[in-house]
Amino acid sequence: MSDEEEVGGRESKAARVERIKREKDGLDVWDDILRYSREGFDAIDPEDFERFKWYGVYRQKPNNAHFMIRLRLPNGALRAHQLELIADITEHYARGFGDITTRQNIQLHWITIEDIPYLFSRLNAVGVTTVAACGDDPRNIVGCPVHGVDCDELYDARPLVDEVHRLYVGNREYSNLPRKFKTSISGCGIRCAQGEINDIGINALWRDGEVGFDLEVGGGLSTVPRIATRLDAFLRPDQVAPVCGAIAALFRDHGCRTKRTKARMKFLVEQWGGERFLEELEARLPFAIDHDVPPRPEMPHVRDHVGVFAQKQEGLNYVGLTVRLGRLTAEQMRTLARLSREFGDGTVRTTNSQNAILTGVPTARVDELARQAGNALMPADGDVWQRTFMACTGAQFCNLAVTATKETPGEPSPAESALGALQERLGHFSEFIRINFNGCPNSCGQHWVADVGLQGVLMKGAGGEQVEGALVTIGGGLGRESGFGRNIGCRLPLTDVADALVRLFSAYQELGGEDENFRGWALRTPDAELAAHMKGEAVVAAAG
Ligand code: SRM
Ligand code: SF4
């Protein structure tokens, strides 16, 4: 179905979704879910599939009566007993595995409509919700996973995340937005919550000995990536929630509702510009915004919290563990929960780079914790490849996927093969290099902001047949020298991706300057040369 205006009298996708939302709010579908759970999959009104998203329930490909459920974890915060319950559900209802997502949530697949009410009642009983995890509403709020413990933190923004979460979730003021709406709030010293690629980015910063918050709006990825526009606003902590509410309302009232591809807030910000956006925002607030905002601090290229770090609480540490491609077995979930109880403070925090962090670990116990986590294949000193290699869901379950990423039943996993090849053939790499693998251009796995981005495409194979491949983007990143990856004109069959990555990083090791990082080398190396390295072709001919 076209996303654009009515085609040949048929309802466009945007018109259909808008009508579905008008006729019955997504939040009103719960009683129907209960009914369908009794009557079975075949009884489901196809239009209610759309509304199910408001409860974090999404049809999984190939749509054979199974669903993905997205557990909404504001700030990626979990208590051990919550993760133990998720592990039980994973084992008994989700075929044994779940994924940490790029918005710090956990997703489970293979769930049936019959089981949803029971599973949700168990999750709700331990304080885990799925409401507004999907749909045209405010999605999970990402935040710094080491809030409250990190020595370099400017402000513990967790209470603010919780306040905005309470404001957003289940609130009919925001349950019919033009499209998904993403918020990032943190007091992190390295801005790991990536405000610049969210609809709202709120980050702590200093001004004359006082901490306030920086506000940026209209960031996003997908097929039209955009870095958020910074507004002249210095917010006090008590202004954060009203500002988020007012921005969501602005988007609700002014966002595009006629084309799904244009219905994100970044297009409204682009159309209005920062100045008008701020005026419109202020007109909705009961207080004046302080416009005296100091320059933005420069952020490092490395923006995660993996590894072992001393906490601000003396004698305690947080330990960031690497989770391979974000995928956890039920057993690994139980191990994380157990380790957090035995060695830490009983919390497990998920990260937007699909990893997990345990906090409150006494110094004397760090080594044993790291040993046990390593045995469970979640090493704290995970090499850079496992630490930073991210992959979206891909064709295994995703309705929009062009290619496989993490896994396709019966076939080698392209992401796993590539990660394995880098680990085995290049071994330890001291530099932080971000490789993000997506099964289509939507960029759920954030390939635009990766050093090396892989975007699933269909292409011609050696014999002229159509094969699954990856289009390569290089040089993306946030923080210092931020920018989106550039298309270097290189498409590779998925079966060649592992070798191509090894060749690319080997070339960098050989040709990069002594103090030059991969980013610097990739920026100065011509596209054709990078592509030739990846394809194993003669570099001189390609560069010439
Ligand atoms: Fe996403 C749609 C998975 C983060 C941009 N995304 C989808 C769907 C629902 C497609 C489908 O119909 O099946 C995928 C569900 C497959 C499944 O079963 O898992 C899906 N998106 C994901 C996750 C699970 C990828 C991951 O492996 O981590 C992430 C879940 C986040 C969460 O927990 O809330 C995920 N998606 C993102 C991000 C990254 C982010 O938010 O930082 C983006 C880019 C940022 C942005 O929104 O601009 C993203 N997803 C999209 C888009 C493009 C939206 C657009 O504006 O055009 C779609 C397609 C759509 O909405 O029509 C999409
Ligand atoms: Fe699906 Fe594409 Fe998102 Fe991957 S990037 S989860 S393939 S929509």
Side-chain angles (χ1 to χ4, degrees), residues 239-375:
Q239 295 176 331
V240 166
V243 162
C244 288
I247 295 176
L250 264 182
F251 177 52
R252 176 195 64 209
D253 298 342
H254 297 280
C256 169
R257 288 183 186 261
T258 51
K259 290 182 184 172
R260 297 286 288 171
T261 48
K262 296 276 182 220
R264 295 298 301 273
M265 202 177 76
K266 62 188 171 188
F267 297 104
L268 182 64
V269 175
E270 191 66 36
Q271 183 193 337
W272 282 0
E275 232 168 88
R276 171 163 175 208
F277 194 95
L278 189 55
E279 275 168 30
E280 299 271 356
L281 171 62
E282 289 192 286
R284 287 176 181 249
L285 292 170
F287 50 83
I289 284 185
D290 182 343
H291 293 184
D292 180 15
V293 60
R296 177 182 278 173
E298 202 168 76
M299 287 300 130
H301 185 46
V302 181
R303 288 169 77 176
D304 72 1
H305 297 280
V306 171
V308 179
F309 298 90
Q311 289 185 191
K312 48 175 126 167
Q313 296 80 6
E314 207 176 327
L316 296 180
N317 304 269
Y318 68 81
V319 182
L321 305 173
T322 58
V323 176
R324 212 170 171 82
L325 303 175
R327 185 153 284 182
L328 288 170
T329 61
E331 209 36 57
Q332 285 176 309
M333 292 179 191
R334 283 203 187 94
T335 302
L336 281 174
R338 178 182 63 76
L339 294 176
S340 80
R341 280 188 207 279
E342 283 181 22
F343 294 86
D345 57 14
T347 67
V348 178
R349 303 162 185 222
T350 53
T351 81
N352 57 2
S353 50
Q354 301 178 323
N355 288 315
I357 297 175
L358 304 184
T359 48
V361 184
T363 306
R365 308 208 67 200
V366 165
D367 287 348
E368 179 55 18
L369 162 65
R371 192 186 64 76
Q372 293 195 24
N375 287 346

